[in-house]
Amino acid sequence: MAQHLNGVAPGSTATLTKPALELKDIDASYGTTAVLRKVSLKVEPAAVTALIGPNGAGKTTSLRVASGLMKPTGGTVLLDGEDITSTGPARRAKRGMCHVPEGRGIYRNLTVKENLLMQANELSAQESIELATSVFPRLGERLSQKAGTLSGGEQQMLALSAAYVASPRLVLVDEPSLGLAPIIVDVVFEFLETLRDKGVALLLVDQYALRTLSIADQAYVLRRGEVVYGGDAKTLLEGNMFEQYIGEAS
Ligand code: ATP
């Protein structure tokens, strides 16, 4: 049975603001196989919401439904309180949503500079490069290099720079630390905290459940396509709750 399913700790002032993103009773399937069942979650503004659970639980599918890459078979997606269930990914991006997918989501055959221009929205080329290199200086040394020839860490920095350059209000990040050296994972997590401190709402899926929870405000645990915990992230780290929800799940 899920706890605190509205995703907000009792007494929190967050209840006074509209969630940046809300999934309400989402069902989703691949063909005839149901993978999400009545998934409900809220992502508050200027906060990190962790979505954790074992392989195959439906985390990536939830992000795909949120960003419009996949149509749910039931339920509602709300952006700043407005029903966007029937809008496509491009319109959602225009309205301030940025999805950094698992596997980076960069154009491997384009240079770093060209990738940054694709992320830029209405910014000038120079502005987008300045913004990206202010958070990831290493990209500045690689501007004319093809993205596909960057190291895994540099590719992830380039993918994440979209979440900065495009000035989104809501960022969905899928497994940003996958395959990265620990020192680069530190850079990635610091960047995510910087985004939150700038007022961005984040929905974060990552393999490092403990680390993800340590920077998260709210957390949801998915198991076999269902939310089994929704509530305060730190509470999940207390007592035997982590063991109960994550330990046995992972
Ligand atoms: P992981 O950590 O392994 O990526 P996840 O929690 O992100 O897991 P999803 O990738 O959302 O889970 O997958 C949920 C279920 O849907 C799994 O059973 C998976 O095998 C299945 N699935 C995912 N993508 C497809 C697809 N394109 N076609 C058919 N089934 C899929």
Side-chain angles (χ1 to χ4, degrees), residues 60-183:
T60 294
T61 305
S62 300
L63 296 196
R64 288 171 58 81
V65 167
S67 70
L69 290 175
M70 186 168 166
K71 288 261 171 276
T73 51
T76 314
V77 183
L78 301 158
L79 182 62
D80 298 321
E82 199 178 314
D83 187 344
I84 54 155
T85 317
S86 58
T87 64
R91 177 158 304 199
R92 293 185 198 189
K94 274 208 180 93
R95 294 192 45 182
M97 189 187 288
C98 174
H99 183 184
V100 183
E102 188 176 354
R104 325 282 189 228
I106 54 175
Y107 298 94
R108 298 175 59 84
N109 290 324
L110 299 184
T111 64
V112 169
K113 186 175 176 180
E114 288 163 342
N115 268 277
L116 292 174
L117 297 187
M118 303 288 282
Q119 298 172 358
N121 273 353
E122 66 266 13
L123 293 183
S124 72
Q126 196 51 37
E127 284 170 324
S128 63
I129 290 167
E130 276 169 18
L131 274 176
T133 56
S134 71
V135 278
F136 298 121
R138 208 188 288 192
L139 293 179
E141 301 156 23
R142 303 274 189 272
L143 288 175
S144 54
Q145 196 171 320
K146 287 262 166 66
T149 66
L150 298 173
S151 71
E154 290 162 351
Q155 289 187 20
Q156 189 57 267
M157 290 176 201
L158 181 57
L160 286 169
S161 67
Y164 199 75
V165 168
S167 302
R169 282 173 293 123
L170 168 69
V171 176
L172 317 172
V173 197
D174 199 353
E175 299 284 7
S177 66
L178 200 65
L180 302 186
I183 192 160

